[in-house]
PDB file of all heavy atoms in Angstrom:
ATOM      1  N   ALA A  62      10.034   0.089  19.362  1.00  0.00           N
ATOM      2  CA  ALA A  62      11.338   0.707  19.782  1.00  0.00           C
ATOM      3  C   ALA A  62      11.284   2.185  19.488  1.00  0.00           C
ATOM      4  O   ALA A  62      11.537   2.628  18.348  1.00  0.00           O
ATOM      5  CB  ALA A  62      12.491   0.025  19.024  1.00  0.00           C
ATOM      6  N   LYS A  64      13.035   4.616  19.988  1.00  0.00           N
ATOM      7  CA  LYS A  64      14.231   5.437  19.529  1.00  0.00           C
ATOM      8  C   LYS A  64      14.104   5.799  18.143  1.00  0.00           C
ATOM      9  O   LYS A  64      14.659   6.777  17.698  1.00  0.00           O
ATOM     10  CB  LYS A  64      15.460   4.625  19.825  1.00  0.00           C
ATOM     11  CG  LYS A  64      15.640   3.371  19.052  1.00  0.00           C
ATOM     12  CD  LYS A  64      16.981   2.781  19.118  1.00  0.00           C
ATOM     13  CE  LYS A  64      17.237   2.006  20.430  1.00  0.00           C
ATOM     14  NZ  LYS A  64      16.483   0.696  20.504  1.00  0.00           N
ATOM     15  N   ASP A  83       9.624  -0.438  23.709  1.00  0.00           N
ATOM     16  CA  ASP A  83      11.022  -0.764  24.020  1.00  0.00           C
ATOM     17  C   ASP A  83      11.741   0.575  24.302  1.00  0.00           C
ATOM     18  O   ASP A  83      11.738   1.436  23.378  1.00  0.00           O
ATOM     19  CB  ASP A  83      11.729  -1.516  22.857  1.00  0.00           C
ATOM     20  CG  ASP A  83      13.213  -1.611  23.088  1.00  0.00           C
ATOM     21  OD1 ASP A  83      13.650  -1.866  24.180  1.00  0.00           O
ATOM     22  OD2 ASP A  83      13.964  -1.438  22.091  1.00  0.00           O
ATOM     23  N   SER A 106      15.852  -1.648  27.334  1.00  0.00           N
ATOM     24  CA  SER A 106      17.102  -2.079  26.780  1.00  0.00           C
ATOM     25  C   SER A 106      18.192  -1.074  26.973  1.00  0.00           C
ATOM     26  O   SER A 106      17.957   0.028  27.402  1.00  0.00           O
ATOM     27  CB  SER A 106      16.910  -2.340  25.253  1.00  0.00           C
ATOM     28  OG  SER A 106      15.839  -3.229  25.006  1.00  0.00           O
ATOM     29  N   ARG A 153      20.042  -9.999  27.727  1.00  0.00           N
ATOM     30  CA  ARG A 153      20.265  -9.816  26.275  1.00  0.00           C
ATOM     31  C   ARG A 153      21.517 -10.613  25.912  1.00  0.00           C
ATOM     32  O   ARG A 153      22.607 -10.270  26.241  1.00  0.00           O
ATOM     33  CB  ARG A 153      20.448  -8.322  25.970  1.00  0.00           C
ATOM     34  CG  ARG A 153      20.776  -8.214  24.490  1.00  0.00           C
ATOM     35  CD  ARG A 153      20.735  -6.759  24.035  1.00  0.00           C
ATOM     36  NE  ARG A 153      21.157  -6.638  22.665  1.00  0.00           N
ATOM     37  CZ  ARG A 153      21.228  -5.477  22.038  1.00  0.00           C
ATOM     38  NH1 ARG A 153      20.905  -4.379  22.655  1.00  0.00           N
ATOM     39  NH2 ARG A 153      21.643  -5.405  20.808  1.00  0.00           N
ATOM     40  N   ILE A 166      25.201  -0.491  12.470  1.00  0.00           N
ATOM     41  CA  ILE A 166      23.901  -0.863  12.987  1.00  0.00           C
ATOM     42  C   ILE A 166      23.804  -2.375  13.104  1.00  0.00           C
ATOM     43  O   ILE A 166      22.716  -2.904  13.232  1.00  0.00           O
ATOM     44  CB  ILE A 166      22.755  -0.256  12.165  1.00  0.00           C
ATOM     45  CG1 ILE A 166      22.898  -0.494  10.650  1.00  0.00           C
ATOM     46  CG2 ILE A 166      22.631   1.206  12.438  1.00  0.00           C
ATOM     47  CD1 ILE A 166      21.811   0.049   9.807  1.00  0.00           C
ATOM     48  N   HIS A 203      18.957  -8.896  20.094  1.00  0.00           N
ATOM     49  CA  HIS A 203      18.714  -7.956  19.013  1.00  0.00           C
ATOM     50  C   HIS A 203      19.998  -7.909  18.174  1.00  0.00           C
ATOM     51  O   HIS A 203      21.020  -7.537  18.706  1.00  0.00           O
ATOM     52  CB  HIS A 203      18.384  -6.558  19.563  1.00  0.00           C
ATOM     53  CG  HIS A 203      18.304  -5.515  18.463  1.00  0.00           C
ATOM     54  ND1 HIS A 203      17.210  -5.354  17.641  1.00  0.00           N
ATOM     55  CD2 HIS A 203      19.257  -4.606  18.051  1.00  0.00           C
ATOM     56  CE1 HIS A 203      17.475  -4.350  16.796  1.00  0.00           C
ATOM     57  NE2 HIS A 203      18.718  -3.933  16.974  1.00  0.00           N
ATOM     58  N   SER A 206      20.076  -3.848  12.690  1.00  0.00           N
ATOM     59  CA  SER A 206      18.989  -3.049  12.136  1.00  0.00           C
ATOM     60  C   SER A 206      19.068  -3.076  10.599  1.00  0.00           C
ATOM     61  O   SER A 206      20.120  -3.307  10.030  1.00  0.00           O
ATOM     62  CB  SER A 206      19.155  -1.631  12.719  1.00  0.00           C
ATOM     63  OG  SER A 206      17.983  -0.935  12.535  1.00  0.00           O
ATOM     64  N   GLN A 207      17.890  -2.805  10.003  1.00  0.00           N
ATOM     65  CA  GLN A 207      17.794  -2.778   8.573  1.00  0.00           C
ATOM     66  C   GLN A 207      18.265  -4.116   7.907  1.00  0.00           C
ATOM     67  O   GLN A 207      18.991  -4.161   6.939  1.00  0.00           O
ATOM     68  CB  GLN A 207      18.554  -1.573   7.961  1.00  0.00           C
ATOM     69  CG  GLN A 207      18.503  -1.379   6.472  1.00  0.00           C
ATOM     70  CD  GLN A 207      17.055  -1.238   5.879  1.00  0.00           C
ATOM     71  OE1 GLN A 207      16.084  -1.046   6.594  1.00  0.00           O
ATOM     72  NE2 GLN A 207      16.878  -1.358   4.625  1.00  0.00           N
ATOM     73  N   GLY A 242      14.338  -6.082  17.413  1.00  0.00           N
ATOM     74  CA  GLY A 242      13.749  -5.479  16.163  1.00  0.00           C
ATOM     75  C   GLY A 242      14.644  -5.825  15.018  1.00  0.00           C
ATOM     76  O   GLY A 242      15.189  -6.878  14.966  1.00  0.00           O
ATOM     77  N   GLY A 243      14.786  -4.898  14.086  1.00  0.00           N
ATOM     78  CA  GLY A 243      15.762  -5.096  13.046  1.00  0.00           C
ATOM     79  C   GLY A 243      15.211  -5.289  11.623  1.00  0.00           C
ATOM     80  O   GLY A 243      16.008  -5.308  10.664  1.00  0.00           O
ATOM     81  N   GLU A 277      10.549  -6.076  19.055  1.00  0.00           N
ATOM     82  CA  GLU A 277      10.932  -4.637  19.281  1.00  0.00           C
ATOM     83  C   GLU A 277      11.134  -3.889  17.969  1.00  0.00           C
ATOM     84  O   GLU A 277      12.244  -3.312  17.766  1.00  0.00           O
ATOM     85  CB  GLU A 277      12.200  -4.543  20.178  1.00  0.00           C
ATOM     86  CG  GLU A 277      12.192  -5.270  21.485  1.00  0.00           C
ATOM     87  CD  GLU A 277      13.578  -5.279  22.136  1.00  0.00           C
ATOM     88  OE1 GLU A 277      14.569  -4.849  21.528  1.00  0.00           O
ATOM     89  OE2 GLU A 277      13.616  -5.803  23.280  1.00  0.00           O
ATOM     90  N   PRO A 278      10.199  -3.933  17.117  1.00  0.00           N
ATOM     91  CA  PRO A 278      10.447  -3.234  15.826  1.00  0.00           C
ATOM     92  C   PRO A 278      10.408  -1.699  16.030  1.00  0.00           C
ATOM     93  O   PRO A 278       9.607  -1.142  16.771  1.00  0.00           O
ATOM     94  CB  PRO A 278       9.262  -3.634  14.937  1.00  0.00           C
ATOM     95  CG  PRO A 278       8.190  -3.898  15.950  1.00  0.00           C
ATOM     96  CD  PRO A 278       8.837  -4.446  17.181  1.00  0.00           C
ATOM     97  N   GLY A 279      11.349  -1.058  15.341  1.00  0.00           N
ATOM     98  CA  GLY A 279      11.398   0.421  15.368  1.00  0.00           C
ATOM     99  C   GLY A 279      11.154   0.879  13.889  1.00  0.00           C
ATOM    100  O   GLY A 279      10.118   1.364  13.521  1.00  0.00           O
ATOM    101  N   ARG A 280      12.235   0.798  13.101  1.00  0.00           N
ATOM    102  CA  ARG A 280      12.260   1.293  11.762  1.00  0.00           C
ATOM    103  C   ARG A 280      11.031   0.820  10.948  1.00  0.00           C
ATOM    104  O   ARG A 280      10.441   1.647  10.257  1.00  0.00           O
ATOM    105  CB  ARG A 280      13.499   0.834  11.034  1.00  0.00           C
ATOM    106  CG  ARG A 280      13.711   1.403   9.684  1.00  0.00           C
ATOM    107  CD  ARG A 280      14.903   0.749   8.963  1.00  0.00           C
ATOM    108  NE  ARG A 280      16.071   0.482   9.764  1.00  0.00           N
ATOM    109  CZ  ARG A 280      17.113   1.310   9.856  1.00  0.00           C
ATOM    110  NH1 ARG A 280      17.111   2.416   9.150  1.00  0.00           N
ATOM    111  NH2 ARG A 280      18.099   1.015  10.643  1.00  0.00           N
ATOM    112  N   ARG A 316      21.187  10.558   8.672  1.00  0.00           N
ATOM    113  CA  ARG A 316      21.515   9.168   8.167  1.00  0.00           C
ATOM    114  C   ARG A 316      22.426   9.232   6.958  1.00  0.00           C
ATOM    115  O   ARG A 316      23.341   8.383   6.875  1.00  0.00           O
ATOM    116  CB  ARG A 316      20.234   8.407   7.846  1.00  0.00           C
ATOM    117  CG  ARG A 316      19.324   8.291   9.080  1.00  0.00           C
ATOM    118  CD  ARG A 316      18.156   7.270   8.838  1.00  0.00           C
ATOM    119  NE  ARG A 316      18.692   5.919   8.862  1.00  0.00           N
ATOM    120  CZ  ARG A 316      18.879   5.197   7.760  1.00  0.00           C
ATOM    121  NH1 ARG A 316      18.472   5.709   6.574  1.00  0.00           N
ATOM    122  NH2 ARG A 316      19.360   3.996   7.827  1.00  0.00           N
ATOM    123  N   TYR A 320      25.791   7.293   7.844  1.00  0.00           N
ATOM    124  CA  TYR A 320      25.875   5.927   7.303  1.00  0.00           C
ATOM    125  C   TYR A 320      25.993   5.851   5.790  1.00  0.00           C
ATOM    126  O   TYR A 320      25.861   4.780   5.228  1.00  0.00           O
ATOM    127  CB  TYR A 320      24.651   5.132   7.651  1.00  0.00           C
ATOM    128  CG  TYR A 320      24.179   5.228   9.097  1.00  0.00           C
ATOM    129  CD1 TYR A 320      22.907   5.785   9.340  1.00  0.00           C
ATOM    130  CD2 TYR A 320      24.936   4.784  10.176  1.00  0.00           C
ATOM    131  CE1 TYR A 320      22.420   5.874  10.653  1.00  0.00           C
ATOM    132  CE2 TYR A 320      24.470   4.859  11.466  1.00  0.00           C
ATOM    133  CZ  TYR A 320      23.173   5.418  11.734  1.00  0.00           C
ATOM    134  OH  TYR A 320      22.727   5.521  13.016  1.00  0.00           O
ATOM    135  N   TYR A 374      14.518   7.230  12.639  1.00  0.00           N
ATOM    136  CA  TYR A 374      15.880   7.789  12.876  1.00  0.00           C
ATOM    137  C   TYR A 374      16.101   9.065  12.084  1.00  0.00           C
ATOM    138  O   TYR A 374      17.265   9.367  11.722  1.00  0.00           O
ATOM    139  CB  TYR A 374      16.913   6.686  12.622  1.00  0.00           C
ATOM    140  CG  TYR A 374      16.685   5.445  13.302  1.00  0.00           C
ATOM    141  CD1 TYR A 374      16.151   4.288  12.651  1.00  0.00           C
ATOM    142  CD2 TYR A 374      16.863   5.358  14.719  1.00  0.00           C
ATOM    143  CE1 TYR A 374      15.938   3.121  13.377  1.00  0.00           C
ATOM    144  CE2 TYR A 374      16.565   4.159  15.427  1.00  0.00           C
ATOM    145  CZ  TYR A 374      16.119   3.071  14.755  1.00  0.00           C
ATOM    146  OH  TYR A 374      15.869   1.904  15.411  1.00  0.00           O
ATOM    147  N   MET A 378      17.012  11.602  15.570  1.00  0.00           N
ATOM    148  CA  MET A 378      18.482  11.793  15.641  1.00  0.00           C
ATOM    149  C   MET A 378      18.823  13.232  15.231  1.00  0.00           C
ATOM    150  O   MET A 378      20.048  13.563  15.021  1.00  0.00           O
ATOM    151  CB  MET A 378      19.183  10.841  14.650  1.00  0.00           C
ATOM    152  CG  MET A 378      19.093   9.400  15.113  1.00  0.00           C
ATOM    153  SD  MET A 378      19.781   8.288  13.865  1.00  0.00           S
ATOM    154  CE  MET A 378      21.514   8.539  14.062  1.00  0.00           C
TER     155      MET A 378
HETATM  156  N1  LLP B 506      15.821  -3.201  20.033  1.00  0.00           N
HETATM  157  C1  LLP B 506      17.075  -2.770  20.341  1.00  0.00           C
HETATM  158  C2  LLP B 506      17.729  -3.323  21.530  1.00  0.00           C
HETATM  159  C3  LLP B 506      17.765  -1.852  19.510  1.00  0.00           C
HETATM  160  O1  LLP B 506      19.003  -1.492  19.799  1.00  0.00           O
HETATM  161  C4  LLP B 506      17.122  -1.382  18.288  1.00  0.00           C
HETATM  162  C5  LLP B 506      17.802  -0.450  17.450  1.00  0.00           C
HETATM  163  C6  LLP B 506      15.823  -1.798  18.070  1.00  0.00           C
HETATM  164  C7  LLP B 506      15.187  -2.756  18.937  1.00  0.00           C
HETATM  165  C8  LLP B 506      15.044  -1.322  16.856  1.00  0.00           C
HETATM  166  O2  LLP B 506      15.678  -1.689  15.726  1.00  0.00           O
HETATM  167  P1  LLP B 506      14.938  -1.465  14.295  1.00  0.00           P
HETATM  168  O3  LLP B 506      13.732  -2.322  14.302  1.00  0.00           O
HETATM  169  O4  LLP B 506      14.616  -0.026  14.219  1.00  0.00           O
HETATM  170  O5  LLP B 506      15.944  -1.892  13.293  1.00  0.00           O
HETATM  171  N2  LLP B 506      20.240   4.967  13.639  1.00  0.00           N
HETATM  172  C9  LLP B 506      20.342   3.814  12.855  1.00  0.00           C
HETATM  173  C10 LLP B 506      19.625   2.640  13.481  1.00  0.00           C
HETATM  174  C11 LLP B 506      20.107   2.285  14.876  1.00  0.00           C
HETATM  175  C12 LLP B 506      19.394   1.119  15.503  1.00  0.00           C
HETATM  176  C13 LLP B 506      19.697   1.027  16.923  1.00  0.00           C
HETATM  177  N3  LLP B 506      18.999  -0.036  17.625  1.00  0.00           N
HETATM  178  C14 LLP B 506      19.772   4.149  11.497  1.00  0.00           C
HETATM  179  O6  LLP B 506      19.381   5.265  11.283  1.00  0.00           O
HETATM  180  O7  LLP B 506      19.805   3.299  10.597  1.00  0.00           O
END
Side-chain angles (χ1 to χ4, degrees):
K64 64 171 78 72
D83 169 42
S106 305
R153 175 171 176 181
I166 50 179
H203 171 80
S206 200
Q207 184 55 17
E277 303 171 357
R280 188 189 315 267
R316 304 191 70 257
Y320 315 117
Y374 306 107
M378 291 174 73

